[in-house]
PDB file of all heavy atoms in Angstrom:
ATOM      1  N   ALA A 121      95.167  93.942  86.653  1.00 94.00           N
ATOM      2  CA  ALA A 121      95.934  94.972  87.367  1.00 94.00           C
ATOM      3  C   ALA A 121      96.445  96.032  86.395  1.00 94.00           C
ATOM      4  O   ALA A 121      96.482  97.226  86.719  1.00 94.00           O
ATOM      5  CB  ALA A 121      97.103  94.342  88.113  1.00 94.00           C
ATOM      6  N   GLY A 122      96.833  95.621  85.199  1.00 94.00           N
ATOM      7  CA  GLY A 122      97.260  96.584  84.186  1.00 94.00           C
ATOM      8  C   GLY A 122      96.141  97.536  83.813  1.00 94.00           C
ATOM      9  O   GLY A 122      96.365  98.725  83.577  1.00 94.00           O
ATOM     10  N   GLY A 123      94.914  97.032  83.777  1.00 95.00           N
ATOM     11  CA  GLY A 123      93.771  97.888  83.483  1.00 95.00           C
ATOM     12  C   GLY A 123      93.532  98.928  84.553  1.00 95.00           C
ATOM     13  O   GLY A 123      93.272 100.105  84.250  1.00 95.00           O
ATOM     14  N   VAL A 124      93.628  98.524  85.823  1.00 96.00           N
ATOM     15  CA  VAL A 124      93.436  99.470  86.923  1.00 96.00           C
ATOM     16  C   VAL A 124      94.528 100.541  86.896  1.00 96.00           C
ATOM     17  O   VAL A 124      94.258 101.732  87.086  1.00 96.00           O
ATOM     18  CB  VAL A 124      93.427  98.735  88.280  1.00 96.00           C
ATOM     19  CG1 VAL A 124      93.279  99.730  89.430  1.00 96.00           C
ATOM     20  CG2 VAL A 124      92.297  97.711  88.329  1.00 96.00           C
ATOM     21  N   ALA A 125      95.774 100.108  86.648  1.00 94.00           N
ATOM     22  CA  ALA A 125      96.878 101.072  86.570  1.00 94.00           C
ATOM     23  C   ALA A 125      96.651 102.065  85.437  1.00 94.00           C
ATOM     24  O   ALA A 125      96.843 103.278  85.604  1.00 94.00           O
ATOM     25  CB  ALA A 125      98.204 100.323  86.374  1.00 94.00           C
ATOM     26  N   GLY A 126      96.225 101.571  84.281  1.00 94.00           N
ATOM     27  CA  GLY A 126      95.964 102.460  83.149  1.00 94.00           C
ATOM     28  C   GLY A 126      94.823 103.417  83.419  1.00 94.00           C
ATOM     29  O   GLY A 126      94.897 104.606  83.092  1.00 94.00           O
ATOM     30  N   ALA A 127      93.751 102.919  84.034  1.00 96.00           N
ATOM     31  CA  ALA A 127      92.602 103.773  84.348  1.00 96.00           C
ATOM     32  C   ALA A 127      92.990 104.886  85.310  1.00 96.00           C
ATOM     33  O   ALA A 127      92.563 106.033  85.161  1.00 96.00           O
ATOM     34  CB  ALA A 127      91.477 102.929  84.950  1.00 96.00           C
ATOM     35  N   SER A 128      93.829 104.556  86.303  1.00 95.00           N
ATOM     36  CA  SER A 128      94.255 105.552  87.286  1.00 95.00           C
ATOM     37  C   SER A 128      95.075 106.662  86.633  1.00 95.00           C
ATOM     38  O   SER A 128      94.865 107.856  86.890  1.00 95.00           O
ATOM     39  CB  SER A 128      95.061 104.861  88.390  1.00 95.00           C
ATOM     40  OG  SER A 128      95.529 105.794  89.341  1.00 95.00           O
ATOM     41  N   VAL A 129      96.006 106.286  85.746  1.00 93.00           N
ATOM     42  CA  VAL A 129      96.860 107.277  85.083  1.00 93.00           C
ATOM     43  C   VAL A 129      96.033 108.168  84.152  1.00 93.00           C
ATOM     44  O   VAL A 129      96.163 109.401  84.166  1.00 93.00           O
ATOM     45  CB  VAL A 129      97.984 106.573  84.297  1.00 93.00           C
ATOM     46  CG1 VAL A 129      98.735 107.579  83.427  1.00 93.00           C
ATOM     47  CG2 VAL A 129      98.951 105.889  85.253  1.00 93.00           C
ATOM     48  N   ILE A 130      95.176 107.557  83.344  1.00 95.00           N
ATOM     49  CA  ILE A 130      94.359 108.323  82.397  1.00 95.00           C
ATOM     50  C   ILE A 130      93.449 109.296  83.139  1.00 95.00           C
ATOM     51  O   ILE A 130      93.268 110.457  82.737  1.00 95.00           O
ATOM     52  CB  ILE A 130      93.528 107.363  81.519  1.00 95.00           C
ATOM     53  CG1 ILE A 130      94.432 106.533  80.608  1.00 95.00           C
ATOM     54  CG2 ILE A 130      92.500 108.136  80.708  1.00 95.00           C
ATOM     55  CD1 ILE A 130      95.162 107.315  79.559  1.00 95.00           C
ATOM     56  N   ALA A 131      92.846 108.835  84.247  1.00 95.00           N
ATOM     57  CA  ALA A 131      91.937 109.690  85.010  1.00 95.00           C
ATOM     58  C   ALA A 131      92.683 110.877  85.619  1.00 95.00           C
ATOM     59  O   ALA A 131      92.177 112.011  85.622  1.00 95.00           O
ATOM     60  CB  ALA A 131      91.248 108.877  86.106  1.00 95.00           C
ATOM     61  N   LYS A 132      93.893 110.647  86.132  1.00 94.00           N
ATOM     62  CA  LYS A 132      94.674 111.748  86.713  1.00 94.00           C
ATOM     63  C   LYS A 132      95.011 112.798  85.658  1.00 94.00           C
ATOM     64  O   LYS A 132      94.995 114.001  85.948  1.00 94.00           O
ATOM     65  CB  LYS A 132      95.946 111.198  87.359  1.00 94.00           C
ATOM     66  CG  LYS A 132      95.705 110.495  88.689  1.00 94.00           C
ATOM     67  CD  LYS A 132      97.001 109.957  89.275  1.00 94.00           C
ATOM     68  CE  LYS A 132      96.759 109.228  90.586  1.00 94.00           C
ATOM     69  NZ  LYS A 132      97.994 108.611  91.123  1.00 94.00           N
ATOM     70  N   LEU A 133      95.326 112.357  84.444  1.00 92.00           N
ATOM     71  CA  LEU A 133      95.592 113.316  83.364  1.00 92.00           C
ATOM     72  C   LEU A 133      94.363 114.187  83.101  1.00 92.00           C
ATOM     73  O   LEU A 133      94.481 115.358  82.730  1.00 92.00           O
ATOM     74  CB  LEU A 133      95.988 112.581  82.084  1.00 92.00           C
ATOM     75  CG  LEU A 133      97.383 111.953  82.045  1.00 92.00           C
ATOM     76  CD1 LEU A 133      97.562 111.141  80.773  1.00 92.00           C
ATOM     77  CD2 LEU A 133      98.468 113.023  82.154  1.00 92.00           C
ATOM     78  N   ALA A 134      93.179 113.593  83.299  1.00 93.00           N
ATOM     79  CA  ALA A 134      91.930 114.329  83.082  1.00 93.00           C
ATOM     80  C   ALA A 134      91.510 115.124  84.314  1.00 93.00           C
ATOM     81  O   ALA A 134      90.438 115.731  84.325  1.00 93.00           O
ATOM     82  CB  ALA A 134      90.821 113.358  82.691  1.00 93.00           C
ATOM     83  N   GLY A 135      92.362 115.111  85.357  1.00 93.00           N
ATOM     84  CA  GLY A 135      92.068 115.868  86.573  1.00 93.00           C
ATOM     85  C   GLY A 135      91.110 115.169  87.517  1.00 93.00           C
ATOM     86  O   GLY A 135      90.491 115.811  88.368  1.00 93.00           O
ATOM     87  N   ILE A 136      91.002 113.847  87.405  1.00 95.00           N
ATOM     88  CA  ILE A 136      90.080 113.077  88.243  1.00 95.00           C
ATOM     89  C   ILE A 136      90.885 112.107  89.099  1.00 95.00           C
ATOM     90  O   ILE A 136      91.678 111.311  88.583  1.00 95.00           O
ATOM     91  CB  ILE A 136      89.071 112.290  87.373  1.00 95.00           C
ATOM     92  CG1 ILE A 136      88.279 113.255  86.490  1.00 95.00           C
ATOM     93  CG2 ILE A 136      88.131 111.462  88.241  1.00 95.00           C
ATOM     94  CD1 ILE A 136      87.449 112.548  85.419  1.00 95.00           C
ATOM     95  N   LYS A 137      90.700 112.149  90.417  1.00 93.00           N
ATOM     96  CA  LYS A 137      91.451 111.276  91.323  1.00 93.00           C
ATOM     97  C   LYS A 137      90.623 110.103  91.833  1.00 93.00           C
ATOM     98  O   LYS A 137      91.110 108.992  91.944  1.00 93.00           O
ATOM     99  CB  LYS A 137      91.985 112.084  92.509  1.00 93.00           C
ATOM    100  CG  LYS A 137      93.094 113.053  92.148  1.00 93.00           C
ATOM    101  CD  LYS A 137      93.663 113.722  93.378  1.00 93.00           C
ATOM    102  CE  LYS A 137      94.822 114.656  93.018  1.00 93.00           C
ATOM    103  NZ  LYS A 137      95.387 115.309  94.222  1.00 93.00           N
ATOM    104  N   LYS A 138      89.370 110.356  92.162  1.00 96.00           N
ATOM    105  CA  LYS A 138      88.524 109.301  92.719  1.00 96.00           C
ATOM    106  C   LYS A 138      87.802 108.572  91.595  1.00 96.00           C
ATOM    107  O   LYS A 138      86.929 109.145  90.949  1.00 96.00           O
ATOM    108  CB  LYS A 138      87.506 109.889  93.700  1.00 96.00           C
ATOM    109  CG  LYS A 138      88.113 110.414  94.993  1.00 96.00           C
ATOM    110  CD  LYS A 138      87.009 110.849  95.948  1.00 96.00           C
ATOM    111  CE  LYS A 138      87.563 111.233  97.299  1.00 96.00           C
ATOM    112  NZ  LYS A 138      86.472 111.566  98.250  1.00 96.00           N
ATOM    113  N   ILE A 139      88.172 107.318  91.376  1.00 97.00           N
ATOM    114  CA  ILE A 139      87.566 106.575  90.271  1.00 97.00           C
ATOM    115  C   ILE A 139      87.162 105.172  90.704  1.00 97.00           C
ATOM    116  O   ILE A 139      87.694 104.617  91.672  1.00 97.00           O
ATOM    117  CB  ILE A 139      88.514 106.464  89.055  1.00 97.00           C
ATOM    118  CG1 ILE A 139      89.718 105.566  89.397  1.00 97.00           C
ATOM    119  CG2 ILE A 139      88.964 107.821  88.572  1.00 97.00           C
ATOM    120  CD1 ILE A 139      90.504 105.113  88.187  1.00 97.00           C
ATOM    121  N   ILE A 140      86.206 104.622  89.970  1.00 97.00           N
ATOM    122  CA  ILE A 140      85.911 103.195  90.017  1.00 97.00           C
ATOM    123  C   ILE A 140      86.215 102.660  88.625  1.00 97.00           C
ATOM    124  O   ILE A 140      85.600 103.087  87.647  1.00 97.00           O
ATOM    125  CB  ILE A 140      84.448 102.921  90.402  1.00 97.00           C
ATOM    126  CG1 ILE A 140      84.193 103.357  91.846  1.00 97.00           C
ATOM    127  CG2 ILE A 140      84.116 101.436  90.228  1.00 97.00           C
ATOM    128  CD1 ILE A 140      82.747 103.290  92.267  1.00 97.00           C
ATOM    129  N   SER A 141      87.213 101.782  88.529  1.00 97.00           N
ATOM    130  CA  SER A 141      87.567 101.231  87.218  1.00 97.00           C
ATOM    131  C   SER A 141      86.627 100.075  86.904  1.00 97.00           C
ATOM    132  O   SER A 141      86.369  99.216  87.738  1.00 97.00           O
ATOM    133  CB  SER A 141      89.030 100.772  87.200  1.00 97.00           C
ATOM    134  OG  SER A 141      89.218  99.633  88.016  1.00 97.00           O
ATOM    135  N   PHE A 142      86.123 100.076  85.679  1.00 97.00           N
ATOM    136  CA  PHE A 142      85.128  99.099  85.230  1.00 97.00           C
ATOM    137  C   PHE A 142      85.645  98.479  83.941  1.00 97.00           C
ATOM    138  O   PHE A 142      85.595  99.082  82.882  1.00 97.00           O
ATOM    139  CB  PHE A 142      83.784  99.807  85.033  1.00 97.00           C
ATOM    140  CG  PHE A 142      82.763  99.036  84.255  1.00 97.00           C
ATOM    141  CD1 PHE A 142      82.425  97.741  84.596  1.00 97.00           C
ATOM    142  CD2 PHE A 142      82.127  99.617  83.160  1.00 97.00           C
ATOM    143  CE1 PHE A 142      81.481  97.034  83.875  1.00 97.00           C
ATOM    144  CE2 PHE A 142      81.174  98.926  82.430  1.00 97.00           C
ATOM    145  CZ  PHE A 142      80.856  97.624  82.785  1.00 97.00           C
ATOM    146  N   ASP A 143      86.184  97.264  84.061  1.00 96.00           N
ATOM    147  CA  ASP A 143      86.857  96.586  82.957  1.00 96.00           C
ATOM    148  C   ASP A 143      86.011  95.387  82.541  1.00 96.00           C
ATOM    149  O   ASP A 143      86.041  94.337  83.189  1.00 96.00           O
ATOM    150  CB  ASP A 143      88.248  96.139  83.416  1.00 96.00           C
ATOM    151  CG  ASP A 143      89.018  95.389  82.338  1.00 96.00           C
ATOM    152  OD1 ASP A 143      88.507  95.260  81.221  1.00 96.00           O
ATOM    153  OD2 ASP A 143      90.149  94.937  82.629  1.00 96.00           O
ATOM    154  N   MET A 144      85.240  95.548  81.474  1.00 96.00           N
ATOM    155  CA  MET A 144      84.366  94.477  80.997  1.00 96.00           C
ATOM    156  C   MET A 144      84.900  93.937  79.681  1.00 96.00           C
ATOM    157  O   MET A 144      84.877  94.618  78.660  1.00 96.00           O
ATOM    158  CB  MET A 144      82.930  94.975  80.819  1.00 96.00           C
ATOM    159  CG  MET A 144      81.960  93.888  80.430  1.00 96.00           C
ATOM    160  SD  MET A 144      80.269  94.517  80.295  1.00 96.00           S
ATOM    161  CE  MET A 144      79.390  93.003  79.857  1.00 96.00           C
ATOM    162  N   GLY A 145      85.409  92.723  79.729  1.00 92.00           N
ATOM    163  CA  GLY A 145      85.944  92.108  78.533  1.00 92.00           C
ATOM    164  C   GLY A 145      85.016  91.038  77.998  1.00 92.00           C
ATOM    165  O   GLY A 145      83.795  91.134  78.107  1.00 92.00           O
ATOM    166  N   GLY A 146      85.591  89.971  77.446  1.00 91.00           N
ATOM    167  CA  GLY A 146      84.790  88.919  76.864  1.00 91.00           C
ATOM    168  C   GLY A 146      84.316  87.887  77.869  1.00 91.00           C
ATOM    169  O   GLY A 146      83.221  87.337  77.741  1.00 91.00           O
ATOM    170  N   THR A 147      85.145  87.611  78.881  1.00 90.00           N
ATOM    171  CA  THR A 147      84.835  86.542  79.827  1.00 90.00           C
ATOM    172  C   THR A 147      84.347  87.064  81.164  1.00 90.00           C
ATOM    173  O   THR A 147      83.459  86.472  81.783  1.00 90.00           O
ATOM    174  CB  THR A 147      86.088  85.669  80.059  1.00 90.00           C
ATOM    175  OG1 THR A 147      86.552  85.184  78.804  1.00 90.00           O
ATOM    176  CG2 THR A 147      85.779  84.501  80.964  1.00 90.00           C
ATOM    177  N   SER A 148      84.909  88.157  81.643  1.00 91.00           N
ATOM    178  CA  SER A 148      84.592  88.626  82.988  1.00 91.00           C
ATOM    179  C   SER A 148      84.593  90.142  83.060  1.00 91.00           C
ATOM    180  O   SER A 148      84.969  90.834  82.117  1.00 91.00           O
ATOM    181  CB  SER A 148      85.609  88.060  83.996  1.00 91.00           C
ATOM    182  OG  SER A 148      86.904  88.583  83.704  1.00 91.00           O
ATOM    183  N   THR A 149      84.164  90.628  84.206  1.00 94.00           N
ATOM    184  CA  THR A 149      84.224  92.056  84.523  1.00 94.00           C
ATOM    185  C   THR A 149      85.034  92.224  85.794  1.00 94.00           C
ATOM    186  O   THR A 149      84.791  91.533  86.798  1.00 94.00           O
ATOM    187  CB  THR A 149      82.816  92.631  84.729  1.00 94.00           C
ATOM    188  OG1 THR A 149      82.122  92.629  83.475  1.00 94.00           O
ATOM    189  CG2 THR A 149      82.875  94.057  85.256  1.00 94.00           C
ATOM    190  N   ASP A 150      86.011  93.133  85.768  1.00 94.00           N
ATOM    191  CA  ASP A 150      86.855  93.411  86.930  1.00 94.00           C
ATOM    192  C   ASP A 150      86.634  94.859  87.351  1.00 94.00           C
ATOM    193  O   ASP A 150      86.726  95.766  86.523  1.00 94.00           O
ATOM    194  CB  ASP A 150      88.336  93.205  86.582  1.00 94.00           C
ATOM    195  CG  ASP A 150      88.593  91.837  85.966  1.00 94.00           C
ATOM    196  OD1 ASP A 150      88.445  90.850  86.681  1.00 94.00           O
ATOM    197  OD2 ASP A 150      88.923  91.768  84.763  1.00 94.00           O
ATOM    198  N   VAL A 151      86.359  95.080  88.632  1.00 96.00           N
ATOM    199  CA  VAL A 151      86.126  96.430  89.135  1.00 96.00           C
ATOM    200  C   VAL A 151      87.053  96.711  90.305  1.00 96.00           C
ATOM    201  O   VAL A 151      87.395  95.814  91.075  1.00 96.00           O
ATOM    202  CB  VAL A 151      84.649  96.633  89.558  1.00 96.00           C
ATOM    203  CG1 VAL A 151      83.726  96.478  88.367  1.00 96.00           C
ATOM    204  CG2 VAL A 151      84.246  95.659  90.672  1.00 96.00           C
ATOM    205  N   SER A 152      87.474  97.964  90.416  1.00 96.00           N
ATOM    206  CA  SER A 152      88.369  98.366  91.491  1.00 96.00           C
ATOM    207  C   SER A 152      88.116  99.827  91.833  1.00 96.00           C
ATOM    208  O   SER A 152      87.706 100.608  90.971  1.00 96.00           O
ATOM    209  CB  SER A 152      89.832  98.170  91.074  1.00 96.00           C
ATOM    210  OG  SER A 152      90.718  98.509  92.123  1.00 96.00           O
ATOM    211  N   LEU A 153      88.355 100.195  93.072  1.00 95.00           N
ATOM    212  CA  LEU A 153      88.177 101.575  93.521  1.00 95.00           C
ATOM    213  C   LEU A 153      89.541 102.185  93.812  1.00 95.00           C
ATOM    214  O   LEU A 153      90.372 101.587  94.504  1.00 95.00           O
ATOM    215  CB  LEU A 153      87.291 101.598  94.771  1.00 95.00           C
ATOM    216  CG  LEU A 153      86.959 102.971  95.360  1.00 95.00           C
ATOM    217  CD1 LEU A 153      85.529 102.999  95.895  1.00 95.00           C
ATOM    218  CD2 LEU A 153      87.919 103.328  96.499  1.00 95.00           C
ATOM    219  N   CYS A 154      89.789 103.372  93.254  1.00 94.00           N
ATOM    220  CA  CYS A 154      91.050 104.084  93.466  1.00 94.00           C
ATOM    221  C   CYS A 154      90.752 105.442  94.092  1.00 94.00           C
ATOM    222  O   CYS A 154      89.977 106.218  93.538  1.00 94.00           O
ATOM    223  CB  CYS A 154      91.804 104.279  92.154  1.00 94.00           C
ATOM    224  SG  CYS A 154      92.226 102.744  91.304  1.00 94.00           S
ATOM    225  N   ASN A 155      91.382 105.697  95.209  1.00 89.00           N
ATOM    226  CA  ASN A 155      91.189 106.962  95.907  1.00 89.00           C
ATOM    227  C   ASN A 155      92.403 107.848  95.689  1.00 89.00           C
ATOM    228  O   ASN A 155      93.062 108.285  96.629  1.00 89.00           O
ATOM    229  CB  ASN A 155      91.001 106.700  97.406  1.00 89.00           C
ATOM    230  CG  ASN A 155      89.765 107.370  97.960  1.00 89.00           C
ATOM    231  OD1 ASN A 155      89.289 108.347  97.386  1.00 89.00           O
ATOM    232  ND2 ASN A 155      89.245 106.860  99.050  1.00 89.00           N
ATOM    233  N   GLY A 156      92.740 108.102  94.449  1.00 83.00           N
ATOM    234  CA  GLY A 156      93.968 108.831  94.132  1.00 83.00           C
ATOM    235  C   GLY A 156      95.073 107.894  93.715  1.00 83.00           C
ATOM    236  O   GLY A 156      95.822 108.155  92.791  1.00 83.00           O
ATOM    237  N   ASP A 157      95.197 106.764  94.414  1.00 86.00           N
ATOM    238  CA  ASP A 157      96.195 105.747  94.077  1.00 86.00           C
ATOM    239  C   ASP A 157      95.523 104.388  94.027  1.00 86.00           C
ATOM    240  O   ASP A 157      94.442 104.178  94.585  1.00 86.00           O
ATOM    241  CB  ASP A 157      97.328 105.726  95.122  1.00 86.00           C
ATOM    242  CG  ASP A 157      98.184 106.984  95.062  1.00 86.00           C
ATOM    243  OD1 ASP A 157      98.702 107.291  93.981  1.00 86.00           O
ATOM    244  OD2 ASP A 157      98.330 107.650  96.103  1.00 86.00           O
ATOM    245  N   VAL A 158      96.189 103.448  93.366  1.00 90.00           N
ATOM    246  CA  VAL A 158      95.676 102.086  93.278  1.00 90.00           C
ATOM    247  C   VAL A 158      95.702 101.449  94.664  1.00 90.00           C
ATOM    248  O   VAL A 158      96.711 101.503  95.366  1.00 90.00           O
ATOM    249  CB  VAL A 158      96.518 101.256  92.278  1.00 90.00           C
ATOM    250  CG1 VAL A 158      96.082  99.797  92.288  1.00 90.00           C
ATOM    251  CG2 VAL A 158      96.405 101.849  90.882  1.00 90.00           C
ATOM    252  N   ARG A 159      94.577 100.854  95.080  1.00 90.00           N
ATOM    253  CA  ARG A 159      94.479 100.239  96.404  1.00 90.00           C
ATOM    254  C   ARG A 159      94.938  98.779  96.334  1.00 90.00           C
ATOM    255  O   ARG A 159      94.660  98.068  95.372  1.00 90.00           O
ATOM    256  CB  ARG A 159      93.033 100.286  96.913  1.00 90.00           C
ATOM    257  CG  ARG A 159      92.563 101.692  97.252  1.00 90.00           C
ATOM    258  CD  ARG A 159      91.047 101.745  97.384  1.00 90.00           C
ATOM    259  NE  ARG A 159      90.531 100.722  98.268  1.00 90.00           N
ATOM    260  CZ  ARG A 159      90.476 100.822  99.593  1.00 90.00           C
ATOM    261  NH1 ARG A 159      90.912 101.926 100.171  1.00 90.00           N
ATOM    262  NH2 ARG A 159      89.987  99.848 100.331  1.00 90.00           N
ATOM    263  N   LEU A 160      95.631  98.336  97.389  1.00 89.00           N
ATOM    264  CA  LEU A 160      96.147  96.970  97.460  1.00 89.00           C
ATOM    265  C   LEU A 160      95.464  96.193  98.585  1.00 89.00           C
ATOM    266  O   LEU A 160      94.942  96.780  99.526  1.00 89.00           O
ATOM    267  CB  LEU A 160      97.653  96.976  97.692  1.00 89.00           C
ATOM    268  CG  LEU A 160      98.519  97.689  96.652  1.00 89.00           C
ATOM    269  CD1 LEU A 160      99.971  97.708  97.093  1.00 89.00           C
ATOM    270  CD2 LEU A 160      98.394  97.008  95.298  1.00 89.00           C
ATOM    271  N   THR A 161      95.499  94.887  98.469  1.00 88.00           N
ATOM    272  CA  THR A 161      94.981  94.022  99.527  1.00 88.00           C
ATOM    273  C   THR A 161      95.853  92.777  99.603  1.00 88.00           C
ATOM    274  O   THR A 161      96.516  92.402  98.622  1.00 88.00           O
ATOM    275  CB  THR A 161      93.517  93.617  99.258  1.00 88.00           C
ATOM    276  OG1 THR A 161      93.047  92.795 100.343  1.00 88.00           O
ATOM    277  CG2 THR A 161      93.373  92.845  97.961  1.00 88.00           C
ATOM    278  N   THR A 162      95.847  92.127 100.754  1.00 84.00           N
ATOM    279  CA  THR A 162      96.534  90.835 100.910  1.00 84.00           C
ATOM    280  C   THR A 162      95.522  89.752 101.266  1.00 84.00           C
ATOM    281  O   THR A 162      95.881  88.710 101.806  1.00 84.00           O
ATOM    282  CB  THR A 162      97.615  90.918 102.005  1.00 84.00           C
ATOM    283  OG1 THR A 162      97.015  91.351 103.240  1.00 84.00           O
ATOM    284  CG2 THR A 162      98.717  91.881 101.617  1.00 84.00           C
ATOM    285  N   GLN A 163      94.244  90.012 100.971  1.00 82.00           N
ATOM    286  CA  GLN A 163      93.175  89.075 101.322  1.00 82.00           C
ATOM    287  C   GLN A 163      92.509  88.469 100.087  1.00 82.00           C
ATOM    288  O   GLN A 163      91.327  88.173 100.093  1.00 82.00           O
ATOM    289  CB  GLN A 163      92.109  89.806 102.164  1.00 82.00           C
ATOM    290  CG  GLN A 163      92.639  90.491 103.418  1.00 82.00           C
ATOM    291  CD  GLN A 163      93.137  89.500 104.460  1.00 82.00           C
ATOM    292  OE1 GLN A 163      92.575  88.422 104.611  1.00 82.00           O
ATOM    293  NE2 GLN A 163      94.195  89.861 105.163  1.00 82.00           N
ATOM    294  N   THR A 164      93.271  88.280  99.015  1.00 86.00           N
ATOM    295  CA  THR A 164      92.709  87.750  97.777  1.00 86.00           C
ATOM    296  C   THR A 164      92.582  86.226  97.824  1.00 86.00           C
ATOM    297  O   THR A 164      93.463  85.537  98.351  1.00 86.00           O
ATOM    298  CB  THR A 164      93.599  88.148  96.584  1.00 86.00           C
ATOM    299  OG1 THR A 164      93.678  89.572  96.533  1.00 86.00           O
ATOM    300  CG2 THR A 164      93.033  87.635  95.275  1.00 86.00           C
ATOM    301  N   ILE A 165      91.477  85.715  97.269  1.00 84.00           N
ATOM    302  CA  ILE A 165      91.274  84.272  97.172  1.00 84.00           C
ATOM    303  C   ILE A 165      91.044  83.924  95.702  1.00 84.00           C
ATOM    304  O   ILE A 165      90.167  84.476  95.051  1.00 84.00           O
ATOM    305  CB  ILE A 165      90.079  83.812  98.026  1.00 84.00           C
ATOM    306  CG1 ILE A 165      90.360  84.078  99.511  1.00 84.00           C
ATOM    307  CG2 ILE A 165      89.794  82.322  97.790  1.00 84.00           C
ATOM    308  CD1 ILE A 165      89.208  83.729 100.425  1.00 84.00           C
ATOM    309  N   ILE A 166      91.849  83.006  95.171  1.00 80.00           N
ATOM    310  CA  ILE A 166      91.728  82.539  93.794  1.00 80.00           C
ATOM    311  C   ILE A 166      91.441  81.041  93.826  1.00 80.00           C
ATOM    312  O   ILE A 166      92.247  80.268  94.347  1.00 80.00           O
ATOM    313  CB  ILE A 166      93.024  82.803  92.983  1.00 80.00           C
ATOM    314  CG1 ILE A 166      93.402  84.291  93.007  1.00 80.00           C
ATOM    315  CG2 ILE A 166      92.862  82.311  91.555  1.00 80.00           C
ATOM    316  CD1 ILE A 166      92.443  85.188  92.276  1.00 80.00           C
ATOM    317  N   ASN A 167      90.282  80.643  93.268  1.00 75.00           N
ATOM    318  CA  ASN A 167      89.917  79.227  93.236  1.00 75.00           C
ATOM    319  C   ASN A 167      90.018  78.590  94.623  1.00 75.00           C
ATOM    320  O   ASN A 167      90.553  77.487  94.790  1.00 75.00           O
ATOM    321  CB  ASN A 167      90.811  78.471  92.232  1.00 75.00           C
ATOM    322  CG  ASN A 167      90.208  77.157  91.817  1.00 75.00           C
ATOM    323  OD1 ASN A 167      88.997  76.980  91.876  1.00 75.00           O
ATOM    324  ND2 ASN A 167      91.055  76.221  91.418  1.00 75.00           N
ATOM    325  N   GLU A 168      89.505  79.334  95.639  1.00 80.00           N
ATOM    326  CA  GLU A 168      89.453  78.891  97.032  1.00 80.00           C
ATOM    327  C   GLU A 168      90.832  78.795  97.687  1.00 80.00           C
ATOM    328  O   GLU A 168      90.965  78.223  98.770  1.00 80.00           O
ATOM    329  CB  GLU A 168      88.715  77.551  97.151  1.00 80.00           C
ATOM    330  CG  GLU A 168      87.277  77.609  96.642  1.00 80.00           C
ATOM    331  CD  GLU A 168      86.536  76.302  96.821  1.00 80.00           C
ATOM    332  OE1 GLU A 168      87.103  75.365  97.428  1.00 80.00           O
ATOM    333  OE2 GLU A 168      85.382  76.214  96.354  1.00 80.00           O
TER     334      GLU A 168
END
């Protein structure tokens, strides 16, 4: 979530609102779509 927040702020400074954040680290890749603001959901499933 910190990565998505950082990507959204950095992109806005660059004049870009619509982004897909692509966070590829050592273990996993996390992707999120922001339409100007960070999108939220209440339908998350962790380990079933």
